Amino acid sequence: MARLLIVSNRIALPGEQAARAGGLAVAIREALRKYGGIWIGWSGETVEEAEDELRIQGSGSGRISVATLDLTKEEQELYYAGFANSVLWPLCHYRVGLMDFQRSYYTGYMAVNDRFAAAVARIAQPDDIIWVHDYHFLPLAAALRRRGLKNRIGFFLHIPFPAPEVLRVVPFHEKLVADMCDYDLLGFQTASDERAFCDFIRHDARGVVGEDRSVTAFGRVTRTGVYPVGIETERFALLAIAAELGPETKRLVQSLTGRKMVIGVDRLDYSKGLPLRFDAYSSLLANHPQHRAKVVMMQIAPTSRNEVRQYRALRRELDQLAGRINARYAEFDWAPLRYLNRGFSRNTLAGFYRHAHVGLVTPLRDGMNLVAKEFVAAQDPDNPGVLVLSRFAGAVDELCDGAKLVNPFDVDGVGEAMHEALIMPLEERKERYETMIKVLQANTINDWYERFLAALRGAN
Ligand code: ADP
Ligand code: F6P
């Protein structure tokens, strides 16, 4: 039977206790748990001299093998911190001003793609299906094709695909898009990401986009599709029910002494809109003083990509903002903001979500945002919390009818939405929850996985 090879930069390593703070690793791990396969990626280690052979190990679950490569320090700087996270990441999140381009980043990025391609080519069998993930590996299929691989190769982009005006800012963007056309299937999170890609194909590449979603450009033919990533809805709900009785949730409840809780859970990333979110909370406390000493905001934000300057600057900014909010509003027996730079197990997070009255998900731009979905799945159907959701998260396409939508740039507007969420009557909360949970039950992580792979198998 054909094997499935999954390639992504970040992988969940065997035995890892804490959940990786990142949607990609969570999504793939959940899917592989059911279906099995070989998961290839970066070990997370940087070494003086990297081996070219993949290090293969079982995951412990029996169904998943994990195969890793180390990166050299230079590769990590050029490919990961450089082109992937200082060029593509800000661009795809519409933060042109944060882009820091250097030619060596691009060269390093292409070289690491080539090294991964060589490693994958060494283990791939002719009927293996290869599924590549995210912006770290846009040119991987092209590098595999150069090595003669004729396998089905699919690609899924977990982050937004930018409009052509923004994409054009990246030097070598045309070559990157041309290389993307070497995949047999290109999957996007939302219709607007797919549209942005097709716009570029039509107008910049002078290619043809067919009604059947075939794309002919750069002398190649590929296909596109929209596959919004979901979660294990039922399983997460059960986790939350169990976690409610667990020691962490109990300690949390005790510490709140009857106050309502607003929760935010995000990697510490400038795409997540955290400084504006803190300002919005300040606005709530300033404009609706009745919530003072009655509400606590808990923001969980594990550090991420510390090797990139902009991330370190964001951390400093948030430390200051958090300090200022507490200094301004705290009482001797109430700290308005709890700000934690650390990860938690999924169980613990599920319990925290369930106990929260408001889930704040206010990215300035996000491919999907699984936290929004996890928050909804964790709620008690008889007394659900309210999701306050940014219009610029991919999840809005599915959750727009039940969430309270906000523009994260409108600080007072988000403060107002928090106020309305905190005082929302039970009937409305239930209605909103029911609308959203139905959507999440209809598109789980298994649906994402099966729909993508069925399309890839059928692509020609
Ligand atoms: P991104 O992929 O940009 O980080 P998502 O919201 O799509 O954003 O995915 C984040 C994933 O990481 C979610 O599954 C979430 O539960 C998990 N996560 C986020 N923060 C933490 C944390 N502090 N501890 C453990 N898991 C976390
Ligand atoms: O889905 C977005 C994403 O960038 C993933 O590709 C990545 O694994 C995750 O966020 C966390 O980032 P990193 O792998 O850089 O720690």
Side-chain angles (χ1 to χ4, degrees):
M1 209 176 106
R3 299 180 308 173
L4 175 66
L5 310 187
I6 290 210
V7 186
S8 66
N9 176 69
R10 181 69 67 190
I11 62 177
L13 290 163
E16 228 168 21
Q17 284 305 310
R20 276 261 171 224
L24 175 149
V26 169
I28 297 178
R29 191 194 39 201
E30 316 263 278
L32 278 182
R33 205 180 3 232
K34 175 155 180 211
Y35 299 96
I38 303 177
W39 192 0
I40 301 161
W42 176 33
S43 63
E45 300 293 328
T46 48
V47 293
E48 287 294 317
E49 261 181 61
E51 305 249 335
D52 282 336
E53 287 298 320
L54 285 166
R55 216 169 24 246
I56 302 183
Q57 43 188 323
S59 71
S61 83
R63 311 211 45 170
I64 315 170
S65 302
V66 166
T68 53
L69 283 185
D70 299 330
L71 294 180
T72 65
K73 184 101 191 65
E74 191 187 25
E75 285 174 334
Q76 192 227 18
E77 276 168 21
L78 304 178
Y79 146 83
Y80 174 76
F83 199 70
N85 287 314
S86 297
V87 179
L88 293 176
W89 180 271
L91 253 295
C92 290
H93 291 85
Y94 289 77
R95 301 297 290 275
V96 177
L98 295 182
M99 183 180 88
D100 166 19
F101 176 80
Q102 298 182 26
R103 280 202 159 211
S104 58
Y105 290 173
Y106 176 72
T107 318
Y109 176 80
M110 297 304 277
V112 169
N113 267 268
D114 222 50
R115 200 152 83 73
F116 267 92
V120 172
R122 268 197 292 278
I123 65 160
Q125 293 164 9
D127 59 349
D128 285 346
I129 300 243
I130 303 175
W131 186 4
V132 179
H133 292 257
D134 237 358
Y135 57 103
H136 312 85
F137 289 126
L138 298 175
L140 193 74
L144 289 167
R145 301 285 183 223
R146 280 198 298 278
R147 290 183 156 71
L149 264 75
K150 303 221 169 352
N151 302 52
R152 288 275 148 94
I153 313 179
F155 176 81
F156 184 80
L157 185 66
H158 290 252
I159 67 173
F161 192 88
E165 288 77 5
V166 176
L167 181 62
R168 283 184 211 121
V169 176
V170 188
F172 304 107
H173 62 273
E174 199 162 58
K175 167 86 170 91
L176 289 169
V177 177
D179 281 353
M180 284 175 77
C181 293
D182 261 322
Y183 286 100
D184 295 303
L185 176 67
L186 295 168
F188 298 94
Q189 295 270 28
T190 67
S192 92
D193 299 317
E194 184 190 43
R195 199 162 46 238
F197 177 82
C198 292
D199 280 351
F200 185 87
I201 292 293
R202 280 194 207 94
H203 302 299
D204 291 59
R206 305 210 177 283
V208 177
V209 179
E211 297 221 324
D212 60 351
R213 296 182 133 144
S214 61
V215 169
T216 311
F218 304 104
R220 305 160 212 193
V221 183
T222 181
R223 192 173 286 275
T224 64
V226 177
Y227 308 93
V229 175
I231 60 167
E232 281 187 313
T233 311
E234 291 304 327
R235 196 163 163 268
F236 205 85
L238 292 174
L239 265 189
I241 293 170
E244 205 175 10
L245 306 169
E248 283 93 357
T249 312
K250 279 193 179 150
R251 265 174 65 198
L252 173 70
V253 174
Q254 251 173 16
S255 73
L256 289 170
T257 56
R259 295 180 171 113
K260 291 187 173 174
M261 179 172 74
V262 174
I263 194 168
V265 176
D266 313 72
R267 273 182 311 105
L268 207 157
D269 193 301
Y270 51 76
S271 63
K272 305 291 183 184
L274 296 172
L276 290 177
R277 190 183 303 173
F278 282 8
D279 288 347
Y281 182 53
S282 227
S283 161
L284 168 82
L285 297 176
N287 296 333
H288 296 282
Q290 69 268 35
H291 295 300
R292 292 185 198 170
K294 300 279 184 342
V295 69
V296 169
M297 173 163 160
M298 180 156 77
Q299 176 62 55
I300 296 174
T303 53
S304 180
R305 304 177 192 161
N306 240 330
E307 48 282 89
V308 180
R309 181 171 43 84
Q310 283 87 349
Y311 287 74
R312 293 194 298 273
L314 174 67
R315 190 173 179 188
R316 283 193 298 275
E317 184 186 359
L318 287 169
D319 284 350
Q320 282 177 7
L321 275 174
R324 225 176 287 156
I325 291 175
N326 277 334
R328 176 152 177 215
Y329 292 104
E331 299 286 348
F332 67 87
D333 59 352
W334 169 62
L337 179 63
R338 297 180 186 179
Y339 173 49
L340 296 86
N341 289 140
R342 50 162 292 202
F344 285 92
S345 73
R346 287 177 76 63
N347 302 20
T348 304
L349 279 185
F352 289 179
Y353 291 142
R354 191 171 175 93
H355 192 70
H357 292 78
V358 180
L360 257 190
V361 180
T362 56
L364 308 182
R365 189 71 63 167
D366 211 332
M368 173 54 57
N369 199 294
L370 294 184
V371 168
K373 295 185 169 183
E374 291 166 357
F375 175 80
V376 173
Q379 295 311 302
D380 174 355
D382 294 326
N383 184 21
V386 181
L387 175 66
V388 173
L389 180 62
S390 160
R391 293 179 183 284
F392 307 120
V396 89
D397 285 7
E398 290 166 279
L399 301 179
C400 56
D401 292 335
K404 216 164 164 37
L405 299 190
V406 291
N407 177 339
F409 296 95
D410 175 11
V411 163
D412 290 335
V414 177
E416 213 44 45
M418 288 163 82
H419 167 65
E420 286 164 22
L422 284 165
I423 61 166
M424 191 178 283
L426 179 62
E427 273 320 297
E428 183 178 347
R429 284 191 276 128
K430 276 178 155 175
E431 236 171 75
R432 286 174 179 271
Y433 163 79
E434 274 154 25
T435 309
M436 292 188 285
I437 198 74
K438 277 191 198 125
V439 177
L440 298 185
Q441 282 159 349
N443 178 39
T444 66
I445 188 70
N446 293 341
D447 296 303
W448 170 70
Y449 194 84
E450 283 172 5
R451 282 186 56 229
F452 185 92
L453 284 179
L456 179 57
R457 290 197 175 97
N460 47 40

